[in-house]
Amino acid sequence: MYKHTHRLFITVTKQFNSSVLLNTANIVNNNLLMTASPVISKISLNAFTCNIITKCFCTKTTFAEFEDEFDENSQKNPSVQVQREIQAEAQKKLDKLLALDVENKTFFNVIELEIDLLRQSGAKVPSTIRPTHWLQILKIKSQNRRRLYLEFLWINEIKKLNDKLKRRENTLSKQALILKKINEESHHLRYGLNNNTMFHRVYRTKMSHFFNSKLISAMMFGEKLVFDCGFESHMTTTEISSCAKQFMFSFGKNRENIDPFDIILCNIDLKGELIKRIYSFLPTMNEPGFPLTYTTKSYLELFPKKDLIYLTPHTNNVMSNFIPDKIYIIGAIVDKAHSKPLTLAKAKEEGIQIAKFPLDNYLDFNSGSNKSLNINHCTDIMLSIKNTNKWEEALKFVPTRKIITNNYDYNRTQNFNDIKNVEPKFRSGHASQLSDAAYNKLKSLRFNQK
């Protein structure tokens, strides 16, 4: 078998090189072989093909075993356990949905046939579809939107496979480096990692304990920052997922800050989708020692009303500075399709003091730009204003796409080249051939009449 291995390399490499863009799967040794990236050059393609085929034939291991190797290493990972629980619950919902309604069962069979046809035609379709994805697909009635969603799942699947390949490659390279150092080192002492050193290695678990200790200290002595999670009914499934991800970023930035807040999630529905998404991002949040507080109670039940300030962009009351004795509330809501003043209405209904960031005093927004910021951006601004008490530093976290920049100051070379290209037409009287923007720009400038 090993005698003609090089012929197998040449044959399969020719088949792969016939197309640079690979969207389909190939069968090697009766196992599914997925490409490592949607776009692969011929050089990297040859290396990838030889590596995988050598692993399949020469070492008598399959690509499925290669993929399962990382699954075995992640058995103790809390994130894997949480994802399995989520998928098991979604499978129960899917089975119940298909058993109760015959129309849903028929629609499910039609979609299965549609996905098989797309996969056979070489479309970008994932190899496996999870129960959570099936629940989302059954809600999509448009065939074009289903195709786009399947392409999105395919891209995520390719990214995960790339990550597994990179981790495997990094592990092998590290092991090879360690063996090389062991073979080359002499009897003298060598300082540095993997050798004799006077310092202890700082592991990620130690850093995690250190960050958690700061959050525990903030829970006892620090300022409070409340996230109002009572807007879940006003968000779609995609917006709920985005809200949970933004909160994850907020928690991470606050955790690594030198003086973090004590974050409290209020008005949260323990059976809702938002807490499930947050739990998937933070699988250890239910452990007793995890430094995060979430409750179904309202902030009015936990704190005096006079100490609360609700942050909302739909008000004229500008926040001048940070008051340590006050408790600030951020609405945990993502409204991409419509920007309704829900936080303002809720704060007025409850009689809570309201305020907004002084964005207009320091920034110039583009026309049509929404002044509503993401949850993680609001958290970054609150951390910065608490530590520095300077709005110039705090408002650097506002996305630059929303702000007008002075092109003449920041892009002077490009601006000069544009004017240089259209200036002869302006001087020769052919300004009518220019666009209105270029004409107004040139008309406002003074040219050297040489």
Side-chain angles (χ1 to χ4, degrees), residues 68-79:
D68 293 339
E69 183 178 341
F70 296 98
D71 297 336
E72 294 176 359
N73 296 333
S74 60
Q75 292 292 332
K76 299 180 181 180
N77 192 346
S79 300

Side-chain angles (χ1 to χ4, degrees), residues 326-438:
K326 298 293 183 179
I327 299 172
Y328 292 89
I329 306 172
I330 297 176
I333 180 173
V334 175
D335 45 356
K336 297 180 179 179
H338 50 78
S339 181
K340 295 181 180 180
L342 299 176
T343 53
L344 174 63
K346 187 171 185 179
K348 284 191 173 183
E349 182 182 355
E350 296 175 344
I352 301 175
Q353 182 181 354
I354 55 178
K356 70 174 183 179
F357 296 138
L359 302 178
D360 296 329
N361 299 344
Y362 295 90
L363 303 174
D364 293 328
F365 280 78
N366 289 318
S367 59
S369 294
N370 191 0
K371 295 183 181 180
S372 299
L373 301 177
N374 293 346
I375 299 172
N376 54 314
H377 294 151
C378 294
T379 307
D380 292 337
I381 291 174
M382 291 299 297
L383 287 169
S384 181
I385 193 62
K386 182 177 72 125
N387 295 331
T388 63
N389 202 21
K390 296 180 181 179
W391 285 109
E392 294 85 354
E393 294 292 329
L395 296 181
K396 288 182 179 180
F397 296 99
V398 176
T400 55
R401 65 179 183 275
K402 296 176 177 285
I403 308 170
I404 298 175
T405 56
N406 193 343
N407 293 330
Y408 186 74
D409 293 337
Y410 294 99
N411 203 3
R412 187 173 302 182
T413 304
Q414 182 66 29
N415 208 10
F416 176 76
N417 292 334
D418 295 341
I419 295 173
K420 184 178 179 180
N421 293 333
V422 298
E423 182 183 355
K425 292 184 179 181
F426 182 78
R427 287 186 174 179
S428 61
H430 295 85
S432 60
Q433 302 178 4
L434 303 175
S435 62
D436 295 338

Side-chain angles (χ1 to χ4, degrees), residues 139-414:
K139 297 178 182 179
I140 303 174
K141 303 302 181 183
S142 173
Q143 184 178 3
N144 188 34
R145 289 185 60 190
R146 284 198 299 270
R147 184 180 58 81
L148 293 176
Y149 184 70
L150 291 172
E151 183 177 348
F152 167 74
L153 296 179
W154 178 83
I155 292 173
N156 288 341
E157 188 178 57
I158 293 298
K159 287 181 179 178
K160 290 181 180 179
L161 183 57
N162 280 336
D163 293 338
K164 290 182 179 179
L165 292 172
K166 288 179 182 178
R167 290 199 299 269
R168 174 63 175 171
E169 185 178 355
N170 291 336
T171 302
L172 293 176
S173 62
K174 288 179 181 179
Q175 292 176 356
L177 183 61
I178 293 173
L179 292 175
K180 183 179 178 181
K181 287 184 177 180
I182 292 175
N183 294 330
E184 292 180 354
E185 72 175 346
S186 60
H187 298 287
H188 298 283
L189 294 178
R190 294 173 60 88
Y191 291 92
L193 292 178
N194 301 321
N195 295 288
N196 297 321
T197 177
M198 60 183 295
F199 300 105
H200 290 287
R201 182 175 180 178
V202 181
Y203 292 92
R204 289 185 179 181
T205 54
K206 298 296 183 182
M207 294 299 299
S208 180
H209 293 331
F210 171 71
F211 291 140
N212 289 344
S213 66
K214 292 198 300 180
L215 290 180
I216 293 173
S217 178
M219 295 175 73
M220 295 186 292
F221 309 108
E223 295 84 359
K224 311 294 182 182
L225 183 64
V226 177
F227 287 88
D228 185 9
C229 302
F231 301 98
E232 186 172 350
S233 59
H234 299 277
M235 294 186 290
T236 62
T237 305
T238 306
E239 291 173 344
I240 289 174
S241 177
S242 179
C243 180
K245 187 173 293 185
Q246 290 178 20
F247 173 75
M248 178 192 66
F249 293 148
S250 301
F251 180 80
K253 285 292 186 68
N254 179 71
R255 185 169 174 260
E256 296 176 359
N257 195 271
I258 189 173
D259 187 16
F261 283 104
D262 175 24
I263 292 181
I264 302 175
L265 301 178
C266 293
N267 296 323
I268 196 162
D269 185 8
L270 298 180
K271 296 182 180 180
E273 188 67 25
L274 180 60
I275 188 64
K276 293 179 182 178
R277 296 298 301 174
I278 295 175
Y279 183 51
S280 65
F281 291 128
L282 301 174
T284 58
M285 62 181 295
N286 288 333
E287 295 182 0
F290 193 79
L292 176 65
T293 304
Y294 62 95
T295 177
T296 57
K297 296 182 179 180
S298 173
Y299 36 80
L300 295 175
E301 303 177 33
L302 302 176
F303 309 105
K305 184 184 293 187
K306 59 179 179 142
D307 295 338
L308 300 176
I309 298 179
Y310 211 118
L311 297 176
T312 173
H314 308 284
T315 182
N316 295 327
N317 187 19
V318 180
M319 176 182 173
S320 58
N321 56 354
F322 178 78
I323 305 175
D325 296 335
K326 298 293 183 179
I327 299 172
Y328 292 89
I329 306 172
I330 297 176
I333 180 173
V334 175
D335 45 356
K336 297 180 179 179
H338 50 78
S339 181
K340 295 181 180 180
L342 299 176
T343 53
L344 174 63
K346 187 171 185 179
K348 284 191 173 183
E349 182 182 355
E350 296 175 344
I352 301 175
Q353 182 181 354
I354 55 178
K356 70 174 183 179
F357 296 138
L359 302 178
D360 296 329
N361 299 344
Y362 295 90
L363 303 174
D364 293 328
F365 280 78
N366 289 318
S367 59
S369 294
N370 191 0
K371 295 183 181 180
S372 299
L373 301 177
N374 293 346
I375 299 172
N376 54 314
H377 294 151
C378 294
T379 307
D380 292 337
I381 291 174
M382 291 299 297
L383 287 169
S384 181
I385 193 62
K386 182 177 72 125
N387 295 331
T388 63
N389 202 21
K390 296 180 181 179
W391 285 109
E392 294 85 354
E393 294 292 329
L395 296 181
K396 288 182 179 180
F397 296 99
V398 176
T400 55
R401 65 179 183 275
K402 296 176 177 285
I403 308 170
I404 298 175
T405 56
N406 193 343
N407 293 330
Y408 186 74
D409 293 337
Y410 294 99
N411 203 3
R412 187 173 302 182
T413 304
Q414 182 66 29

